[in-house]
């Protein structure tokens, strides 16, 4: 009887070890989740009039087809809010500006000591141009003309707000020198059209839907960032780059100098490596199919450019494979 009990105990111990080994051999994220735990994925984008939302819809289709997991693009308040939402478990994947992702990882500026360390990078996408939009009839041609005017500086907590503040600073202005309005892109378009504001900061890939919509009913002017000011801005905030809005965009008759930050995708750390790999591959392998003008700029070869936060292991695996080819 004693031998039988010992054999049974030994068998149960071996069985437990085998089950534990099987669990540990699965490809899981930091939470222990596996791909099979995901029945639905959400991509947090921005407002419907920006660039994130239409691109997010394309990405959602690619991911759904590649992984078999129903994925949808969700309207949100964009960059800063997206980082917080992922930290709080209110989304799985999100669009964010590279500068805002960096601030979140350090607990700086709008995050003010609240470090977000549960989010990692999928990869870089394309330049996001900081556009100061007004109407020709408003007579605003330079940053100096903004004094005392009603200016949309972006939704509260948005990356646009940080960009607006920094560009004003480089031009010797502060929020106190203007009448700031916290409007999203769609609200900025409507308010400019109605004459309720004088100009609006919009950080998005060009052409931006809200600005195209505005140009359909009135002549748009984009206030330029002169070369010396761009150099000054980049010296202080090195995540900016010089950019040109080409003639023909929004009906502009000549190239307009501007600055840009990067757009990127981030993901919850807890997403398992194999699923992170499939998501990354689905996006970058299919980017050329995207109809939006920014689709042609989304390339695996530049997917790690300008990334200032840790890269998800699944994404890193994909880019390592690409770089070996």
């Amino acid at each position: 009887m004693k031998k039988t009990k010992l054999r049974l105990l030994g068998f149960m111990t071996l069985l437990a070890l085998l089950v534990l080994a099987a669990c540990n051999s699965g490809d899981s994220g930091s939470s222990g989740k596996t791909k099979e735990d995901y029945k639905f994925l959400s991509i947090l984008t921005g407002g419907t009039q920006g660039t994130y939302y239409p691109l997010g819809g394309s990405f959602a289709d690619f991911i759904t087809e590649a992984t078999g997991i129903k994925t949808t693009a969700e309207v949100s308040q964009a960059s800063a809010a997206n980082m917080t939402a992922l930290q709080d478990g209110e989304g799985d994947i999100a669009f964010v500006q590279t500068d805002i992702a960096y601030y979140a990882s350090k607990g700086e500026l709008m995050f003010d000591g609240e470090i977000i360390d549960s989010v990692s990078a999928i990869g870089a996408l394309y330049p996001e141009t900081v556009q100061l939009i007004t109407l020709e009839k408003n007579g605003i041609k330079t940053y100096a003309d903004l004094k005392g005017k009603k200016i949309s500086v972006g939704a509260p907590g948005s990356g646009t707000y940080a960009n607006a503040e920094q560009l004003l600073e480089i031009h010797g202005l502060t929020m106190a020198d203007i009448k700031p309005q916290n409007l999203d892109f769609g609200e900025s378009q409507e308010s400019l059209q109605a004459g309720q504001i004088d100009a609006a900061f919009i950080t998005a890939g060009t052409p931006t839907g809200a600005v195209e919509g505005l140009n359909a009913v009135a002549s748009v002017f984009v206030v330029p960032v002169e070369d010396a000011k761009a150099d000054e801005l980049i010296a202080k905030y090195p995540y900016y780059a010089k950019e040109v809005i080409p003639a023909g965009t929004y009906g502009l008759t000549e190239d307009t100098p501007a600055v840009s930050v990067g757009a990127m995708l981030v993901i919850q750390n807890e997403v398992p490596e194999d699923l992170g790999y499939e998501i990354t591959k689905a996006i970058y392998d299919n980017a050329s199919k995207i109809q939006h003008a920014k689709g042609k700029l989304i390339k695996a070869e530049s997917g790690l450019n300008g990334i200032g936060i840790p890269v998800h292991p699944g994404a890193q695996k994909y880019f390592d494979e690409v770089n070996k080819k």
Side-chain angles (χ1 to χ4, degrees):
M1 179 67 72
K2 187 178 289 186
K3 288 182 178 180
T4 302
K5 287 183 177 180
L6 286 172
R7 287 195 192 99
L8 181 60
L9 180 61
F11 175 75
M12 295 300 291
T13 301
L14 179 61
L15 183 61
L17 289 171
L18 288 172
V19 170
L20 182 61
C23 291
N24 288 338
S25 66
D27 193 355
S28 60
S30 59
S31 68
K33 284 186 175 182
T34 66
K35 177 183 173 181
E36 288 67 34
D37 292 320
Y38 288 84
K39 309 302 179 188
F40 174 84
L41 290 167
S42 63
I43 304 177
L44 305 182
T45 61
T48 57
Q49 297 300 311
T51 305
Y52 290 169
Y53 186 72
L55 288 179
S58 295
F59 292 165
D61 291 342
F62 299 154
I63 294 168
T64 299
E65 183 175 352
T67 66
I69 301 172
K70 176 64 176 176
T71 307
T72 60
E74 310 288 344
V75 175
S76 75
Q77 290 296 318
S79 291
N82 286 353
M83 290 296 291
T84 301
L86 256 61
Q87 173 93 329
D88 294 341
E90 297 172 1
D92 304 291
I93 304 164
F95 284 79
V96 63
Q97 293 175 201
T98 51
D99 53 334
I100 303 306
Y102 175 81
Y103 296 149
S105 71
K106 301 297 183 183
E108 297 176 356
L109 292 185
M110 69 283 290
F111 298 98
D112 193 21
E114 296 182 7
I115 294 173
I116 292 180
D117 56 6
S118 62
V119 176
S120 49
I122 290 179
L125 299 174
Y126 56 86
E128 288 204 281
T129 309
V130 185
Q131 306 163 74
L132 178 52
I133 305 297
T134 186
L135 299 179
E136 286 278 4
K137 65 181 181 181
N138 290 348
I140 296 174
K141 301 298 181 184
T142 68
Y143 273 78
D145 297 330
L146 299 179
K147 284 187 177 181
K149 301 292 176 61
K150 289 183 179 179
I151 313 297
S152 172
V153 294
S158 69
T160 298
Y161 186 94
N163 301 145
E165 197 167 42
Q166 290 160 355
L167 273 163
L168 288 171
E169 173 196 349
I170 293 302
H171 288 89
L173 301 169
T174 68
M175 290 291 177
D177 294 312
I178 63 173
K179 296 175 182 176
Q181 312 292 307
N182 295 120
L183 307 176
D184 65 23
F185 297 167
E187 292 167 338
S188 294
Q189 174 192 344
E190 293 168 2
S191 297
L192 273 167
Q193 189 173 329
Q196 296 168 342
I197 62 172
D198 302 293
F201 283 94
I202 292 179
T203 301
T206 56
T208 307
V211 187
E212 288 186 307
L214 181 64
N215 188 60
V217 296
S219 295
V220 165
F221 181 77
V222 182
V223 179
V225 178
E226 300 302 336
D227 201 55
K229 289 298 181 183
D231 288 337
E232 190 178 341
L233 181 73
I234 294 166
K236 186 164 187 179
Y237 304 106
Y239 38 75
Y240 282 98
K242 292 181 181 180
E243 189 73 22
V244 173
I245 303 173
T249 308
Y250 314 134
L252 299 174
T253 58
E254 57 185 32
D255 291 351
T256 301
V259 293
S260 65
V261 291
M264 66 184 289
L265 282 176
V266 294
I267 190 170
Q268 286 187 334
N269 291 346
E270 67 178 19
V271 173
E273 181 177 332
D274 59 346
L275 181 53
Y277 171 85
E278 290 181 27
I279 289 169
T280 309
K281 183 176 177 62
I283 290 168
Y284 287 90
D285 281 5
N286 291 287
S288 61
K289 300 175 184 176
I290 296 173
Q291 296 300 310
H292 192 282
K294 289 303 175 188
K296 63 184 178 182
L297 300 178
I298 302 172
K299 300 178 184 294
E301 294 76 13
S302 57
L304 295 178
N305 292 354
I307 299 296
I309 65 172
V311 178
H312 189 277
Q316 187 66 59
K317 179 181 177 182
Y318 170 78
F319 290 119
D320 287 345
E321 288 182 0
V322 169
N323 292 330
K324 287 178 182 178
K325 293 179 181 178

